[in-house]
């Protein structure tokens, strides 16, 4: 029967196209601060049924996100923070829930609310972090924000809250449709202890352009092989047909 | 058609925008009081095709799901308000700001704009105006026969008038500051206007409440770092090329499919 080979090669070809979409997404985000590459692959999906168990289709599978550390770029910007390995910034998602991100290019709204990509940053106490008007600001390694309040001499240092930073392995988190990470098992991760971040720098995307290009070529070649299989199956069917019709 | 082509296209778009931002920064390397922009990227929404944790049978769950990203966009261009270097020009009406703050400018339509460009002039009516002729607020009027002007670090403007022994104080310059200067909208001509994101202007005398001091005879250069911009330019070009490469690869995959089946 030709249909098995035809359909199975087809699942391989469409999985290759999907992988190519993931590679394109990673490459498109090669300059997005705090972005983590999508790991995409295929899994064997045996088709159960009568007869010889030869039908194993390919199913696309996302293996979460890459936990590799991106390059650190010094920006000198007071509001930029680069997080250490396995440390995550707590933010409020649009539904009011808690989510985690590594995008440390923070900005401040008119009333002093700190945001990351538009999501309010939560403090260590779990509430959105607001910084009062200040003359100068400094973010410590543990996320403590100290400021010289407006109108005060430079010797007056006040604490303006602490960034909510948690500690979790990348593998224990899943990425939602909004690009934010949430715990896979629903349990909130533990607050981070000790040195968690570097201020005045951001973590770049952890996409390695070179390996992505190699993966792109490899996927393209795999796709061509699957198309070749489709072609051979087609030829087989054609010759079988001509044998039968010549009688 | 396949998603990969459209995803790679968003990458090309974003890099093109970033290149425009870099070009604008480089073009304004010598603009007085110019503040550089930075393009900020954000990943687009993800599409979940299979939910991680979904049940595969009564006892088993999907360990990982299937979600694909849909590309990238430039979410914002953020102005960076770091100090530009002050250079000595010697002009009596050249004023640089050392620290935070903006001069207030009265626009022809009666609205207020803000600038860090202290390249001031004297209008035919004796007023202190910007190089575009817009009056600086609060208004400073130079009396007839003004020989020399002194602007103090705290904004005090005093003049020496012909035939008088004593200097006369004719007013004081103030500076406006914002909670979030990055929220200001640049309108060109070295001017910014207040927005909902910047917060209202708080005016005060230079050197108080955290605003900077004035430096007469100096102008603030742009804070564009040419080397940094050139490095960003190379990076942008390479990122553009890899996205273009993704398009051509997917195209050749589809071409192969069309030619061989």
């Amino acid at each position: 029967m030709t249909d098995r080979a035809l359909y199975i090669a087809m699942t391989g070809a469409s999985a290759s196209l999907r992988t190519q979409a993931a590679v394109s997404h990673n490459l498109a985000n090669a300059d997005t601060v705090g972005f983590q590459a999508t790991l995409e692959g295929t899994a064997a999906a045996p088709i159960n049924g009568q007869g010889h168990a030869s039908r194993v289709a390919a199913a696309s599978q996302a293996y979460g996100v890459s936990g590799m550390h991106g390059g650190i770029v010094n920006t000198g910007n007071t509001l930029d923070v680069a997080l250490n390995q396995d440390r995550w910034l707590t933010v409020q998602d649009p539904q009011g829930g808690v989510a985690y991100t590594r995008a440390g290019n923070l900005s401040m709204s008119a009333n002093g609310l700190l945001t990351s990509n538009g999501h309010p940053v939560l403090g260590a106490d779990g509430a959105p972090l607001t910084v009062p008007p200040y003359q100068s600001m400094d973010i410590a390694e543990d996320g403590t924000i100290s400021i010289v309040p407006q109108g005060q001499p430079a010797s007056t240092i006040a604490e303006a809250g602490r960034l909510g930073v948690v500690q979790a392995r990348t593998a224990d988190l899943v990425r939602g449709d909004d690009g934010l990470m949430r715990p896979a098992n629903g349990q909130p991760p533990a607050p981070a202890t000790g040195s968690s971040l570097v201020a005045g720098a951001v973590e770049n995307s952890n996409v390695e352009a070179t390996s992505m290009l190699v993966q792109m070529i490899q996927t393209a070649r795999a796709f061509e092989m699957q198309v070749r299989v489709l072609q051979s199956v087609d030829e087989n069917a054609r010759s079988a047909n001509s044998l039968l019709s010549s009688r | 058609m396949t998603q990969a082509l459209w995803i790679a296209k968003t990458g090309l778009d974003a890099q093109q925008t970033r290149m425009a931002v870099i070009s604008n920064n480089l073009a304004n390397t010598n603009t007085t009081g110019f503040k550089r922009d930075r393009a900020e990227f954000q990943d687009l929404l993800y599409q979940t095709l299979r939910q991680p944790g979904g049940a595969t049978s009564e006892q088993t769950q999907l360990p990982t799901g299937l979600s694909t990203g849909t590309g990238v966009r430039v979410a914002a261009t953020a102005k960076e308000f770091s100090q530009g270097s002050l250079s000595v020009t010697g002009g009596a009406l050249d004023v640089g700001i050392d620290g935070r703050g903006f001069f207030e400018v009265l626009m022809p339509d009666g609205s207020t704009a803000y600038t860090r460009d202290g390249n001031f002039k004297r209008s035919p009516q004796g007023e202190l105006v910007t190089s575009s002729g817009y009056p600086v607020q609060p208004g400073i009027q130079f009396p007839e026969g003004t020989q020399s002007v002194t602007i103090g670090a705290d904004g005090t403007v005093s003049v020496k008038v012909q035939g008088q022994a004593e200097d006369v104080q004719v007013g004081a310059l103030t500076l406006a500051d914002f909670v979030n200067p990055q929220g200001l909208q640049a309108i060109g001509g070295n001017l910014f206007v207040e927005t909902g994101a910047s917060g209202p202007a708080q005016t005060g005398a230079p050197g108080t409440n955290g605003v900077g001091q004035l430096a007469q005879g100096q102008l603030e250069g742009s804070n564009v770092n040419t080397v940094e911009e050139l490095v960003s330019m190379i990076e942008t070009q390479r990122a553009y090329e890899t996205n273009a490469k993704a398009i051509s690869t997917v195209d050749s995959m589809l071409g192969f499919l069309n030619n061989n089946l």
Side-chain angles (χ1 to χ4, degrees):
Chain A
M1 290 292 279
T2 55
D3 71 316
R4 293 180 191 176
L6 203 58
Y7 278 102
I8 289 167
M10 184 273 286
T11 62
S14 64
S16 298
L17 274 180
R18 191 168 291 291
T19 306
Q20 208 65 299
V23 171
S24 296
H25 179 65
N26 289 343
L27 277 177
N29 281 290
D31 283 321
T32 306
V33 167
F35 177 78
Q36 293 175 296
T38 305
L39 302 174
E40 184 104 359
T42 48
I47 298 163
N48 301 318
Q50 290 174 331
H52 183 52
S54 63
R55 285 178 289 175
V56 181
S60 297
Q61 188 88 318
Y63 295 104
V65 301
S66 160
M68 253 179 46
H69 212 278
I72 302 290
V73 182
N74 280 302
T75 60
N77 223 341
T78 330
L79 288 176
D80 284 345
V81 293
L83 291 138
N84 291 350
Q85 188 85 41
D86 293 341
R87 298 296 200 282
W88 300 83
L89 211 54
T90 322
V91 295
Q92 195 173 48
D93 67 13
Q95 291 80 39
V98 176
Y100 307 99
T101 180
R102 289 185 70 85
N105 50 342
L106 306 182
S107 41
M108 188 180 278
S109 75
N111 42 24
L113 184 76
L114 282 180
T115 55
S116 158
N117 281 341
H119 305 292
V121 176
L122 299 178
D125 56 356
L129 203 57
T130 322
V131 180
Y134 62 90
Q135 289 178 37
S136 64
M137 182 200 248
D138 194 52
I139 302 178
E141 281 185 0
D142 67 344
T144 308
I145 303 172
S146 49
I147 56 164
V148 176
Q150 203 168 58
Q152 304 281 323
S155 56
T156 321
I157 304 273
E159 197 186 312
R162 196 151 77 86
L163 294 172
V165 183
V166 295
Q167 199 168 345
R169 289 190 314 132
T170 311
D172 295 335
L173 301 171
V174 286
R175 181 152 53 193
D177 291 357
D178 49 8
L180 296 172
M181 306 288 281
R182 289 176 185 80
N185 57 7
Q187 298 296 321
T193 51
S195 168
S196 304
L197 52 87
V198 185
V202 287
E203 180 195 355
N204 243 338
S205 156
N206 71 354
V207 174
E208 275 184 274
T210 321
S211 62
M212 279 301 135
L213 283 175
V214 172
Q215 199 188 338
M216 197 161 78
I217 294 167
Q218 199 186 7
T219 312
R221 294 295 169 220
F223 179 82
E224 287 176 10
M225 279 197 287
Q226 280 132 7
V227 172
R228 279 261 181 255
V229 174
L230 294 177
Q231 203 184 6
S232 328
V233 172
D234 187 28
E235 273 165 22
N236 285 350
R238 195 168 302 168
S239 47
N241 276 351
S242 65
L243 274 177
L244 290 172
S245 57
S246 64
R247 275 180 171 265
Chain B
M1 264 325 228
T2 171
Q3 247 186 336
L5 283 176
W6 292 100
I7 296 171
K9 175 223 156 242
T10 66
L12 289 181
D13 275 352
Q15 298 301 343
Q16 191 113 46
T17 309
R18 187 182 184 199
M19 198 66 201
V21 170
I22 294 171
S23 307
N24 186 49
N25 286 345
L26 281 174
N28 282 293
T29 313
N30 287 326
T31 306
T32 314
F34 177 79
K35 299 295 172 198
R36 64 181 291 256
D37 278 307
R38 184 174 66 160
E40 294 195 337
F41 288 4
Q42 205 179 328
D43 46 353
L44 288 171
L45 291 179
Y46 289 77
Q47 294 176 326
T48 302
L49 301 161
R50 289 171 89 191
Q51 187 61 42
T56 48
S57 74
E58 227 172 295
Q59 281 87 31
T60 54
Q61 287 183 324
L62 269 180
T64 51
L66 176 59
S67 65
T68 51
T70 52
V72 68
R73 70 181 175 123
V74 178
T77 52
K79 278 241 174 260
E80 218 169 85
F81 279 93
S82 63
Q83 177 80 36
S85 58
L86 290 168
S87 54
V88 176
T89 59
L93 294 181
D94 288 343
V95 194
I97 304 172
D98 182 15
R100 292 174 69 113
F102 299 85
F103 294 113
E104 237 175 89
V105 175
L106 181 68
M107 299 296 286
D109 62 358
S111 65
T112 307
Y114 302 90
T115 183
R116 281 184 69 92
D117 175 8
N119 193 352
F120 297 141
K121 305 279 182 297
R122 201 192 310 187
S123 76
Q125 290 78 35
E127 257 183 320
L128 185 69
V129 295
T130 67
S131 40
S132 314
Y134 305 150
V136 179
Q137 295 294 304
I140 307 279
Q141 185 76 39
F142 295 112
E144 198 118 348
T146 298
Q147 279 187 320
S148 67
V149 181
T150 311
I151 299 170
D154 62 351
T156 319
V157 184
S158 49
V159 296
K160 174 119 178 69
V161 181
Q162 204 170 16
Q164 288 182 17
E166 292 284 312
D167 275 15
V168 193
Q169 191 183 330
V170 292
L173 289 170
T174 58
L175 289 179
D177 195 14
F178 298 87
V179 174
N180 176 26
Q182 290 199 329
L184 290 170
Q185 190 187 344
I187 55 166
N190 286 352
L191 297 169
F192 297 96
V193 288
E194 183 185 309
T195 67
S198 66
Q202 295 150 349
T203 32
T208 61
N209 280 345
V211 297
Q213 294 192 328
L214 300 186
Q216 189 187 15
Q218 299 185 26
L219 284 177
E220 185 190 10
S222 79
N223 68 349
V224 177
N225 180 340
T226 323
V227 181
E228 199 182 318
E229 297 300 336
L230 286 176
V231 171
S232 306
M233 197 156 79
I234 294 168
E235 205 193 337
T236 307
Q237 188 187 355
R238 294 297 172 216
Y240 189 86
E241 283 171 9
T242 52
N243 281 297
K245 178 88 187 150
I247 289 185
S248 68
T249 305
V250 176
D251 179 44
S252 64
M253 279 165 75
L254 296 174
F256 188 85
L257 180 68
N258 281 343
N259 293 332
N260 288 283
L261 272 193

